[in-house]
Amino acid sequence: MQFQFNSDSSVMGTENVAERIEAQLRERLARFEDRLSRLEVHVRDENGPKGGGDDKACMIEARIKGEKPIGVTGHAGDVDSAARIAANTLVQRLERHFGKGDRHKHDPSPDKVI
C-alpha cells in the first residue's frame, strides 16, 4: 500500500509529522492493507496564523483496489488528533464497506440436528 502525504506550510513546522501519521494509519489499517492500493493524506491549518480551536484538518482518502475511493476528514486542535479522528472514521467506513463478515471470522454454524 502506497502512502502519500500532503500538507500546507504552516503544518510542517512540527517535526516528523508525516512519519507519525503514516505509522499511526498503517497500524490502524493493517487488516485492510491487502485491499487498499494507496492512502492519500492531506493536512492543513484552516485559518492559518490566526489560531483558534479545531483549526487543523486531516483528510484521508483510501484508494480501494478496483473500486471507488473512500474519503474522510477529521478536525481538531492539533494535527495528530485530527489524523486520529479521521483514521477512526475511516476504519468504521471500511468495516461497513467490506462487511461485518470480515470483522468476525467465525466457523460456520453447525446444522441443527432434530
Side-chain angles (χ1 to χ4, degrees):
M1 172 175 63
Q2 294 179 346
F3 185 87
Q4 182 177 347
F5 184 84
N6 302 297
S7 71
D8 63 13
S9 59
S10 63
V11 174
M12 286 311 291
T14 320
E15 193 172 314
N16 301 331
V17 173
E19 291 86 9
R20 285 196 318 264
I21 291 176
E22 179 177 0
Q24 177 182 346
L25 288 173
R26 286 191 183 275
E27 180 181 332
R28 293 296 317 261
L29 300 172
R31 67 178 178 259
F32 303 113
E33 190 167 356
D34 59 334
R35 296 178 175 185
L36 301 176
S37 60
R38 182 172 68 200
L39 286 178
E40 288 188 30
V41 178
H42 301 269
V43 179
R44 67 184 182 278
D45 186 340
E46 293 189 323
N47 56 1
K50 289 190 273 184
D54 294 350
D55 65 335
K56 305 295 188 283
C58 178
M59 194 281 293
I60 304 171
E61 186 177 87
R63 301 286 177 121
I64 301 170
K65 293 178 182 175
E67 297 183 40
K68 292 181 179 179
I70 293 177
V72 298
T73 304
H75 292 86
D78 62 272
V79 176
D80 292 310
S81 296
R84 190 170 25 269
I85 291 167
N88 289 340
T89 305
L90 183 59
V91 167
Q92 291 173 353
R93 297 267 315 268
L94 289 172
E95 284 174 345
R96 217 173 17 245
H97 178 79
F98 292 127
K100 293 181 181 177
D102 289 349
R103 224 182 334 165
H104 305 289
K105 297 207 180 211
H106 298 291
D107 294 329
S109 56
D111 294 329
K112 292 185 178 181
V113 178
I114 301 178

